[in-house]
């Protein structure tokens, strides 16, 4: 796509499900991303303080700090990195999380399960929008 | 000859003998009856009386020759004028008279007599008799004495009491009787039973009076008619009594006006209650304690389709049904322990149907006997509305169940999707690694395909439970538009034509196909509604534009520069007035009446488009830069949608 090899894009993956977290991280690393995967919003917030990411992917339904709270915390911290959320779908009490996430500043919402193409397309779109 | 003479002598003797015997007999009879014959030839004035008269009036035969004046002189002075008047009337007018009087002897002894005389029209002679009625008179005197004894009792009685001779003449009566018959008490004796009854009732009443004489004590109801016409309902009872040697009748007439009024009032009251029962919309029956039907109202006959006579032969259990839970007999037993109970069941009809019915069973005591009053009211409508209610409840329950299922499915789907993510991602990765090993690659593809299938399955469940959730993916917009327009065509009037303008390129975008459908559909419907029932055209024009950094779209919509697809939907409707251009995408903004739409269509369009990183605007006539026919005079409004395209 590009004539000079671009610096690898840094992605943060936040998901309490280690299977998902690791698989997403693995796919991104395969596709020239530098990926850091953490299992909670708190850890994600901490990671953002230490690193600068090009893209953040976060689960919405998580114990303690959920995805929306995580986004709000990041935006409160002044971090403007484009955020893609993904969620496994509807859980009681979490119906509005996707729209809340958009309202709080997420670029896109994805629904699990995602395949590789969806993931990469979403990242491309999110980067495009936030550019 | 001799013999003839002898015979003549014999005959003469014989005739004389017979005559003597006749005279002797007559004298004996006259003596026995204490009666004396009278004869008066009015033309000659010759007067005759029989010898017995002297005996009756206690006179010597020779002292008084017969004559009318002599006869009159025999009576007591106070009656003489009356006697003379009777004879005068008789001689002038004929007919007859009877007169009770007294003779007065020279010794000053009075003897009660009956003087009777009659005019013989043929001979023009008056014949008559004077009879010593001292014996009768004594009886009458003793009668009057007896009456006097009773009179006190009679006068105080509340009922009218009369004493009747066996011929039916009133002899005596109490003040109450006089009041009833509207005569002075002294004049009661001028009346007979003929005078006090209605002519039509007379025969019947005579039968009763005869019955009283014979000792029957059955009372009769009749109407007594007073001398002035007053009618009084009475109950009449009578008893035969013997006074002296005469059989008489004491008749008691009880005024039943008040009683009859009370009875009439009772009848009216009963009629009122009967009409209450008869006109009732509920079936009503009266039962014995065993459930035998004693009385029913017409409604019950109508409901059951059974005749009254049939119902009156039936038992409560024959015509009711209580769904096995309780038998009719048990219901009555239950009702007997309380004052009333209420049960729902069925009424059995003649044609075998079961009529849903509510029963009120009330215990009631009639002269110590337990009876039941049962009111049966139709529950058909009540039950069907009850069934409606149950049906609604069922639907609500079903909806709640579905909601719960949806929640369970949603929560399961969430876990499933989490599990499927690594399977899909890792299998894809491994497939890339195993491209040189067809066997391994094939197996990995099977895993991936199964996971994909599972993903679609979960998606279907979620679409069902949460239809509003968006799932963006890589879609081809022109293809989606064509699909939607096919649907739109069938949703708008045939007078509206849909035109499609595009350059047959493929425009890929990252978007939720369902939501893109909704955007096109809503905008299309809005255009169709603007056209209304007129003939019209809606044009969908799609083209690719590049929004560079100087584009006014960037400042206007705060969208990034890049490739966009524009979808312009224009219609031949009246257009959008300038002053509402900025309002048409607001939620609940509508120019339509309340029934036409929700006012949400275009606001949803904007929401979706903006969620996809795009923009939407309404452009007045001729203002659209991206439609080839914007300046055509027929064009009204144009809605322009900008959607970011995926980078190739």
């Amino acid at each position: 796509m590009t004539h000079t090899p671009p610096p690898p894009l840094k992605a943060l993956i936040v998901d309490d499900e280690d299977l998902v977290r690791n698989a997403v991280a693995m796919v991104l690393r395969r596709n020239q991303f530098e990926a850091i995967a953490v299992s909670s919003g708190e850890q994600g917030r901490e990671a953002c303080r230490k690193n600068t990411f090009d893209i953040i992917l976060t689960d919405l339904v998580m114990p303690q700090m959920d995805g929306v709270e995580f986004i709000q915390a990041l935006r409160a911290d002044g971090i403007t990195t484009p955020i893609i959320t993904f969620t496994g779908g509807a859980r009681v009490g979490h119906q509005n999380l996707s729209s809340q996430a958009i309202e709080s500043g997420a670029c896109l919402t994805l629904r699990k399960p995602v395949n590789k193409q969806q993931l990469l397309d979403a990242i491309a779109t999110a980067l495009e929008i936030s550019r | 000859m001799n013999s003839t003479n002898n015979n003549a002598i014999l005959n003469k003797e014989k005739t004389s003998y017979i005559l003597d015997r006749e005279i002797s007999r007559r004298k004996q009879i006259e003596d026995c009856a204490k009666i004396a014959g009278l004869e008066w030839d009015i033309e000659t004035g010759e007067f005759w009386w029989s010898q017995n008269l002297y005996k009756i009036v206690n006179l010597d035969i020779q002292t008084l020759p017969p004559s009318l004046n002599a006869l009159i002189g025999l009576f007591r002075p106070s009656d003489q004028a009356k006697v003379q008047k009777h004879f005068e009337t008789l001689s002038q007018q004929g007919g007859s008279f009877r007169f009770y009087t007294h003779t007065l002897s020279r010794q000053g002894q009075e003897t009660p007599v009956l003087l009777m005389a009659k005019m013989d029209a043929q001979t023009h002679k008056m014949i008559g008799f004077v009879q010593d009625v001292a014996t009768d008179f004594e009886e009458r005197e003793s009668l009057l004495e007896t009456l006097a004894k009773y009179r006190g009792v009679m006068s105080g009685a509340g009922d009218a009491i009369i004493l009747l001779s066996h011929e039916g003449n009133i002899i005596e009566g109490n003040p109450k009787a006089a009041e009833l018959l509207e005569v002075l008490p002294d004049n009661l004796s001028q009346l007979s039973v003929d005078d006090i009854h209605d002519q039509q009732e007379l025969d019947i009443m005579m039968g009763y009076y005869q019955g009283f004489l014979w000792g029957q004590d059955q009372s009769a109801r009749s109407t007594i008619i007073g001398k002035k016409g007053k009618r009084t309902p009475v109950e009449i009872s009578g008893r035969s009594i013997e006074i002296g040697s005469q059989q008489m009748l004491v008749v008691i007439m009880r005024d039943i006006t008040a009683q009859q009024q009370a009875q009439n009032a009772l009848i009216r009251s009963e009629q009122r209650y009967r009409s209450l029962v008869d006109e009732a919309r509920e079936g009503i029956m009266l039962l014995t304690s065993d459930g035998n039907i004693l009385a029913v109202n017409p409604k019950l006959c109508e409901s059951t389709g059974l005749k009254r006579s049939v119902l009156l032969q039936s038992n409560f259990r024959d015509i009711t049904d209580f769904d096995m839970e309780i038998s009719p007999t048990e219901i009555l037993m239950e009702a007997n322990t309380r004052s009333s109970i209420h049960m729902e069941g069925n009424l059995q009809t003649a044609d075998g149907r079961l009529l849903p019915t509510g029963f009120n069973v009330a215990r009631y005591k009639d002269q110590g006997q337990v009876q039941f009053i049962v009111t049966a009211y139709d529950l058909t409508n009540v039950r069907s509305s009850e069934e409606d209610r149950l049906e609604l409840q069922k639907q609500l329950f079903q909806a709640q169940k579905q909601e719960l299922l949806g929640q369970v499915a949603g929560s399961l789907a969430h876990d499933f999707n989490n599990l499927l993510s690594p399977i899909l991602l890792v299998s894809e990765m491994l497939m890339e690694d195993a491209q040189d090993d067809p066997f391994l690659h094939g197996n990995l593809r099977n895993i991936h395909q199964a996971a994909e299938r599972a993903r679609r399955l979960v998606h279907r469940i979620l679409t069902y439970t949460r239809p509003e959730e968006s799932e963006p993916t890589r879609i081809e917009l022109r293809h989606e538009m064509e699909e939607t327009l096919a649907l739109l065509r069938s949703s708008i009037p045939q007078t509206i034509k849909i035109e499609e303008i595009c350059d047959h390129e493929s425009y890929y975008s990252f978007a939720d196909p369902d939501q893109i459908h909704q955007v096109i559909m809503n905008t299309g419907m809005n255009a169709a509604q603007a056209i209304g029932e007129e003939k019209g055209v809606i044009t969908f024009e799609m083209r690719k534009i590049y929004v560079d950094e100087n584009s006014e779209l960037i400042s206007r919509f705060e969208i990034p520069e890049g490739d966009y697809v524009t979808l312009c939907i224009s219609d031949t409707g009246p257009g959008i007035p300038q002053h509402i251009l900025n309002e048409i995408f607001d939620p609940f903004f509508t120019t339509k009446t309340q029934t036409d739409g929700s006012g949400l269509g275009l606001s949803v369009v904007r929401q979706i488009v903006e969620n996809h990183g795009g923009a939407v605007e309404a452009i007045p006539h001729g203002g659209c830069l991206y439609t080839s026919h914007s300046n055509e005079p027929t064009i009204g409004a144009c809605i322009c949608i900008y959607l970011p395209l995926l980078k190739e």
Side-chain angles (χ1 to χ4, degrees):
Chain A
M1 265 196 253
T2 47
H3 25 275
T4 51
L9 292 169
K10 286 182 81 173
L12 172 67
I13 298 132
V14 185
D15 198 319
D16 61 316
E17 288 279 342
D18 53 352
L19 287 172
V20 180
R21 189 171 70 230
N22 297 337
V24 171
M26 225 189 299
V27 169
L28 291 185
R29 283 180 195 127
R30 283 256 178 155
N31 289 278
Q32 287 76 48
F33 281 84
E34 194 182 312
I36 293 177
V38 296
S39 63
S40 71
E42 289 84 351
Q43 288 176 14
R45 198 177 177 189
E46 193 57 40
C48 286
R49 288 192 184 129
K50 293 175 182 165
N51 304 281
T52 307
F53 293 102
D54 297 297
I55 186 85
I56 298 170
L57 297 108
T58 178
D59 188 14
L60 280 176
V61 184
M62 289 184 290
Q64 287 144 20
M65 184 185 275
D66 68 25
V68 173
E69 288 163 345
F70 172 58
I71 295 166
Q72 285 165 350
L74 289 187
R75 295 304 185 224
D77 291 345
I79 292 161
T80 55
T81 312
I83 301 170
I84 295 170
T85 66
F86 43 66
T87 178
R91 232 192 230 272
V92 182
H94 295 147
Q95 271 88 349
N96 290 320
L97 278 182
S98 290
S99 55
Q100 281 177 35
I102 297 290
E103 280 167 21
S104 304
C107 298
L108 284 171
T109 62
L110 282 179
R111 189 183 284 163
K112 290 181 190 171
V114 287
N115 59 29
K116 189 185 91 177
Q117 195 55 51
Q118 284 172 327
L119 199 59
L120 297 178
D121 284 350
I123 291 171
T125 308
L127 290 175
E128 198 66 43
I129 291 169
S130 65
R131 202 175 57 188
Chain B
M1 187 67 195
N2 205 13
S3 67
T4 311
N5 283 343
N6 282 348
N7 281 345
I9 292 163
L10 270 174
N11 282 344
K12 197 180 177 181
E13 281 177 354
K14 197 175 177 180
T15 308
S16 163
Y17 172 76
I18 291 169
L19 204 61
D20 285 349
R21 271 198 67 186
E22 279 302 307
I23 291 165
S24 162
R25 277 182 189 145
R26 199 193 69 205
K27 280 185 176 171
Q28 279 174 356
I29 292 165
E30 280 193 346
D31 196 35
C32 175
K34 295 183 180 174
I35 195 163
L38 301 172
E39 189 189 71
W40 181 34
D41 187 334
I42 293 169
E43 284 175 10
T44 60
E46 188 186 340
F47 206 92
W48 172 89
W49 59 52
S50 63
Q51 296 292 309
N52 210 32
L53 185 69
Y54 295 108
K55 202 170 180 180
I56 291 169
V57 301
N58 203 14
L59 276 178
D60 285 341
I61 297 168
Q62 292 80 8
T63 53
L64 190 70
S67 76
L68 181 63
N69 283 337
L71 181 71
I72 292 168
L74 290 173
F75 299 109
R76 63 181 178 195
S78 59
D79 285 349
Q80 285 178 4
K82 288 181 191 169
V83 174
Q84 184 159 17
K85 183 81 183 157
H86 276 304
F87 279 107
E88 274 174 24
T89 309
L90 191 70
S91 64
Q92 286 158 15
Q93 296 171 11
S96 68
F97 71 87
R98 280 164 73 93
F99 186 61
Y100 283 99
T101 178
H102 289 75
T103 57
L104 183 66
S105 71
R106 294 204 174 151
Q107 294 78 24
Q109 187 195 346
E110 284 194 10
T111 307
V113 291
L114 169 64
L115 169 65
M116 192 267 165
K118 180 185 172 188
M119 200 61 195
D120 189 312
Q122 283 182 339
T123 58
H124 212 64
K125 284 181 182 170
M126 181 216 77
I127 51 165
F129 64 84
V130 173
Q131 187 178 20
D132 179 347
V133 292
T135 320
D136 290 353
F137 192 76
E138 276 161 25
E139 283 178 3
R140 191 174 153 80
E141 285 296 293
S142 87
L143 168 78
L144 290 173
E145 242 170 72
T146 314
L147 281 176
K149 275 190 231 158
Y150 284 117
R151 198 166 286 144
V153 181
M154 282 164 66
S155 64
D159 296 330
I161 302 172
I162 53 173
L163 189 68
L164 286 182
S165 71
H166 69 278
E167 295 102 337
N169 295 317
I170 296 177
I171 296 162
E172 188 79 35
N174 69 349
K176 184 74 185 168
E179 190 188 316
L180 209 62
L181 297 171
E182 296 180 301
V183 290
L184 293 170
D186 286 347
N187 294 340
L188 275 171
S189 57
Q190 291 173 355
L191 299 172
S192 77
V193 286
D194 300 14
D195 303 318
I196 65 171
H197 286 293
D198 200 323
Q199 285 302 308
Q200 289 168 340
E201 276 189 349
L202 197 56
D203 278 354
I204 300 166
M205 287 317 298
M206 290 312 264
Y208 273 103
Y209 287 121
Q210 190 64 60
F212 296 149
L213 272 176
W214 289 341
Q216 289 175 4
D217 55 1
Q218 191 188 3
S219 63
R221 288 228 166 150
S222 181
T223 302
I224 293 298
I225 297 167
K227 215 52 188 155
K228 294 169 188 162
K230 185 176 86 172
R231 302 171 73 91
T232 311
V234 289
E235 187 174 69
I236 298 177
S237 54
R239 191 158 174 202
S240 157
I241 56 166
E242 210 157 285
I243 296 176
S245 63
Q246 296 206 32
Q247 201 180 29
M248 297 199 180
L249 205 53
V250 180
V251 174
I252 299 170
M253 297 185 290
R254 173 164 294 174
D255 184 347
I256 55 168
T257 309
Q259 194 185 338
Q260 214 163 52
Q261 277 168 354
Q263 202 166 21
N264 285 342
L266 198 69
I267 289 168
R268 278 199 302 277
S269 163
E270 217 234 50
Q271 279 168 343
R272 278 199 292 272
Y273 278 107
R274 177 159 289 282
S275 70
L276 267 183
V277 170
D278 284 356
E279 301 301 320
R281 294 178 57 181
E282 292 83 21
I284 299 172
M285 54 188 141
L286 184 66
L287 307 179
T288 65
S289 56
D290 299 331
N292 291 322
I293 298 173
L294 291 173
V296 292
N297 74 339
K299 176 67 186 175
L300 195 77
C301 303
E302 185 196 316
S303 300
T304 54
L306 291 167
K307 280 184 185 163
R308 184 187 167 82
S309 55
V310 176
L311 282 168
L312 294 181
Q313 302 282 321
S314 308
N315 191 286
F316 182 58
R317 63 174 174 269
D318 303 331
I319 60 162
T320 54
D321 170 85
F322 290 93
D323 299 337
M324 307 298 285
E325 286 167 23
I326 185 166
S327 75
T329 314
E330 283 170 327
I331 285 174
L332 296 185
M333 279 163 65
E334 183 67 26
N336 202 8
T337 64
R338 293 189 253 161
S339 61
S340 79
I341 61 164
H342 174 260
M343 278 297 297
E344 287 186 7
N346 299 295
L347 207 55
Q348 296 196 345
T349 65
D351 53 8
R353 284 178 301 124
L354 290 178
L355 217 61
T357 303
F359 294 93
N360 261 317
V361 185
R363 190 183 54 174
Y364 154 80
K365 272 196 175 173
D366 182 32
Q367 296 174 344
Q369 294 267 322
V370 171
Q371 296 185 343
F372 297 106
I373 298 169
V374 180
T375 318
Y377 53 94
D378 191 352
L379 282 180
T380 313
N381 291 331
V382 180
R383 243 182 233 183
S384 64
S385 67
E386 174 71 7
E387 277 161 13
D388 287 349
R389 196 180 67 80
L390 287 175
E391 180 59 31
L392 271 179
Q393 209 170 37
K394 218 167 93 182
Q395 282 173 6
L396 180 66
F397 181 67
Q398 187 66 24
Q400 282 175 338
K401 202 169 77 177
Q402 269 184 354
E403 192 185 317
L404 190 67
L405 272 176
Q407 286 171 357
V408 171
S411 145
L412 275 176
H414 176 267
D415 292 342
F416 249 86
N417 286 335
N418 268 336
L419 295 171
L420 286 172
S421 294
I423 298 174
L424 279 168
L425 290 170
V426 175
S427 61
E428 275 175 331
M429 240 168 21
L430 291 175
M431 277 196 288
E432 282 170 15
D433 294 347
Q435 269 173 5
D436 298 336
D437 185 342
F439 177 72
L440 190 58
H441 191 272
N443 282 344
L444 286 167
R445 200 178 55 227
N446 284 345
I447 294 173
H448 186 263
Q449 277 175 356
E452 274 291 342
R453 212 176 291 169
R455 186 174 77 95
R456 285 197 293 275
L457 184 65
V458 172
H459 178 64
R460 278 219 295 279
I461 295 170
L462 279 182
T463 312
Y464 177 67
T465 55
R466 302 248 358 245
E468 73 281 9
E469 199 93 332
S470 87
E471 187 179 18
T473 185
R474 188 170 181 267
I475 57 167
E476 206 285 291
L477 288 172
R478 194 172 52 80
H479 169 74
E480 301 298 339
M481 179 176 79
E482 277 164 6
E483 249 185 30
T484 315
L485 293 187
L487 192 65
L488 182 64
R489 273 195 187 90
S490 58
S491 310
I492 60 173
Q494 291 190 335
T495 47
I496 300 173
K497 212 172 123 192
I498 291 176
E499 269 178 19
E500 203 185 331
I501 302 172
C502 61
D503 48 16
H504 300 289
E505 267 193 54
S506 294
Y507 302 120
Y508 289 100
S509 180
F510 187 72
D512 185 317
D514 291 342
Q515 293 190 347
I516 295 303
H517 286 186
Q518 204 179 343
V519 165
I520 297 169
M521 195 74 180
N522 285 8
T523 324
M525 291 299 288
N526 213 66
Q529 277 159 3
I531 294 168
E533 290 175 359
E534 311 287 314
K535 275 190 174 176
V537 183
I538 306 173
T539 310
F540 291 80
E541 183 163 354
M542 191 179 267
R543 60 165 74 173
K544 185 181 169 182
I545 59 164
Y546 183 74
V547 178
D548 65 26
E549 55 186 346
N550 300 319
S551 168
E552 48 99 33
L553 289 174
I554 291 180
S555 53
R556 199 139 47 98
F557 298 117
E558 296 175 342
I559 55 173
E561 67 174 282
D563 286 322
Y564 283 84
V565 77
T566 63
L567 174 59
C568 295
I569 299 111
S570 53
D571 62 63
T572 55
I576 304 165
Q578 188 73 35
H579 67 278
I580 60 164
L581 273 180
N582 297 323
E583 294 167 33
I584 63 166
F585 295 105
D586 289 347
F588 306 110
F589 175 84
T590 179
T591 58
K592 298 166 237 164
T593 56
Q594 201 60 39
T595 50
D596 280 335
S598 61
L600 282 171
L602 289 180
S603 78
V604 167
V605 167
R606 181 166 70 179
Q607 201 187 351
I608 293 173
V609 169
E610 286 181 357
N611 279 350
H612 283 79
V616 60
E617 64 180 330
I619 299 166
H621 170 75
C624 186
L625 302 169
Y626 312 108
T627 50
S628 47
H629 58 287
S630 173
N631 286 320
E632 282 181 31
T634 50
I635 293 296
C638 179
I639 305 287
C640 218
I641 296 163
Y642 310 94
L643 280 172
L645 282 174
L646 269 179
K647 280 206 163 143
E648 296 302 322

